Amino acid sequence: MKISKNTICIDSLESQLFQDNYLKVEQPVQVKNFVTKQNFYRRWTPEFLSENYGEKLVGVFDDTVSRQGRSYKKPDKHISFKQFLEGITNGEKKYRLFLFNIFRIAPELREDLEFPKLRTIFLTKLPYTFFGHKGSVTRIHQDMDFSNVFLLQIHGRKKVILISPEQSELLYRLPLNVHTEANITKPDYQKYPALRYVEGTEYILEPGDLLFIPSGWWHHIEYIDGGYSLSLRSLSKRPLNLLRGILNVTILTHLDELLVKIAGNSWFKIKCRIAERRANNRIKLIDPLFLNSENADFKRNKVAR
């Protein structure tokens, strides 16, 4: 696996450069110092949020990095927003909060953000925020709706690894959903040999930075500091991505959940076998000798060196 450091940043989303080279062709890019409004830095602090909205209850998730077949649709428990914010700022490693529309409890904060006018359709009713403590990890996945994502870092620093959707089979994507059991930060090449051929890019986001994550791109996120970010989504300009998103949201995810209820762990094992078969077929196209029974051990040792 090869993860390179990002070396390309731009200073505006409204430039023709972004429209032509990134938005239109759906390629990721980082925008430095996207936010300039002073209210953003004054009102989006943990202290301000806790003082003004701390009594609100929020649904949080435990910090289990990976739980076989788990669903993130229902939170593990509800606690006060103040209690949660104190936990992520004092280093307590316990809960995370994501896909949270903060404007439901703080609608006035909308005026602190200005997203540019682009030739794209923003899903303005889905402005999700994501909170986590230092060391929190969101394992690599694709977004279910296959939208473009504009991820704005608000507080703390965050590391994001992006991998193109063309490498989904190499990542052992599970059927009917947008996840994988493979760990890209501690790859097990014996169990997941296709990971050797995966290439990605690492981005470090500072407060005020924005990352454009195109439709279908895999993303792995680590919180360098306790902090939070906000995402705004827009529709992909690619018809197949739009269709894939619609199918995921309306049919595939529900079918997957139904099969989990019916077959439980048996269905999970079937998905893993399908993912492994697809990955092996992809390896054969890239490197026909890798999975040859007479050369596999030699090839693994050679690549490992």
Side-chain angles (χ1 to χ4, degrees):
M1 177 174 290
K2 180 181 179 181
I3 305 297
S4 60
K5 305 284 186 179
N6 172 55
T7 59
I8 300 175
C9 296
I10 60 176
D11 56 11
S12 173
L13 287 182
E14 296 180 322
S15 66
Q16 196 63 39
L17 171 68
F18 174 73
Q19 297 277 356
D20 294 340
N21 292 1
Y22 301 103
L23 180 62
K24 185 183 298 183
V25 296
E26 297 191 352
Q27 288 294 312
V29 70
Q30 182 175 352
V31 183
K32 293 296 293 182
N33 301 313
F34 173 76
V35 175
T36 58
K37 280 194 171 184
Q38 291 303 311
N39 266 354
F40 172 80
Y41 295 100
R42 181 178 64 84
R43 301 207 300 181
W44 287 76
T45 65
E47 295 77 16
F48 183 91
L49 296 177
S50 180
E51 179 180 350
N52 291 273
Y53 316 105
E55 77 285 356
K56 304 292 185 179
L57 290 179
V58 293
V60 297
F61 298 80
D62 68 38
D63 200 37
T64 303
V65 173
S66 177
R67 184 190 300 170
Q68 180 176 307
R70 83 170 294 178
S71 170
Y72 288 98
K73 291 185 177 181
K74 294 182 180 180
D76 293 307
K77 66 183 299 184
H78 287 81
I79 61 176
S80 72
F81 196 27
K82 180 178 181 179
Q83 180 184 351
F84 172 74
L85 289 170
E86 289 174 348
I88 68 168
T89 54
N90 66 19
E92 180 182 351
K93 297 184 177 180
K94 196 170 184 180
Y95 297 115
R96 290 184 294 156
L97 176 62
F98 51 91
L99 293 177
F100 173 57
N101 186 349
I102 195 171
F103 299 123
R104 290 181 179 176
I105 65 173
E108 60 274 14
L109 294 182
R110 283 183 179 273
E111 64 191 43
D112 297 338
L113 300 172
E114 281 187 2
F115 277 85
K117 296 180 180 179
L118 301 173
R119 294 194 297 272
T120 187
I121 301 176
F122 280 110
L123 304 176
T124 56
K125 294 184 178 180
L126 301 175
Y128 292 129
T129 48
F130 303 82
F131 294 73
H133 60 73
K134 179 180 179 180
S136 287
V137 173
T138 301
R139 287 278 295 274
I140 191 163
H141 65 283
Q142 295 171 299
D143 284 349
M144 183 187 305
D145 63 0
F146 266 57
S147 295
N148 294 318
V149 175
F150 297 79
L151 181 65
L152 172 62
Q153 188 64 18
I154 298 174
H155 182 78
R157 295 170 298 160
K158 182 176 290 184
K159 178 170 74 174
V160 182
I161 296 175
L162 297 185
I163 298 174
S164 70
E166 287 77 15
Q167 301 181 72
S168 294
E169 293 174 346
L170 296 176
L171 287 169
Y172 295 84
R173 180 178 60 81
L174 298 173
L176 301 186
N177 62 39
V178 290
H179 298 278
T180 173
E181 288 298 297
N183 185 342
I184 68 165
T185 58
K186 297 180 179 180
D188 182 343
Y189 292 129
Q190 294 298 318
K191 187 175 183 180
Y192 303 109
L195 293 181
R196 297 182 186 275
Y197 301 94
V198 171
E199 297 183 1
T201 304
E202 175 186 300
Y203 300 80
I204 302 298
L205 303 184
E206 304 276 352
D209 289 353
L210 181 142
L211 180 62
F212 173 60
I213 305 176
S215 169
W217 278 66
W218 294 81
H219 41 289
H220 171 98
I221 297 173
E222 298 180 21
Y223 289 72
I224 300 174
D225 311 303
Y228 39 93
S229 57
L230 178 143
S231 72
L232 190 64
R233 318 176 84 77
S234 75
L235 295 179
S236 172
K237 293 181 178 295
R238 299 183 178 181
L240 288 180
N241 286 354
L242 286 172
L243 178 60
R244 175 64 189 275
I246 293 172
L247 289 176
N248 281 341
V249 173
T250 60
I251 298 176
L252 298 183
T253 183
H254 301 293
L255 177 57
D256 187 34
E257 291 175 350
L258 177 62
L259 291 170
V260 169
K261 291 180 181 179
I262 294 174
N265 193 53
S266 296
W267 169 236
F268 176 76
K269 291 180 179 179
I270 291 172
K271 291 196 295 184
C272 289
R273 287 197 296 269
I274 294 173
E276 181 180 9
R277 184 175 68 249
R278 290 173 175 173
N280 288 343
N281 289 337
R282 185 67 181 273
I283 293 177
K284 291 176 183 177
L285 295 175
I286 300 173
D287 187 354
L289 293 179
F290 190 91
L291 295 176
N292 184 287
S293 59
E294 297 180 359
N295 297 286
D297 291 338
F298 168 77
K299 192 72 175 182
R300 289 193 186 97
N301 292 333
K302 181 179 179 181
V303 174
R305 293 195 297 269

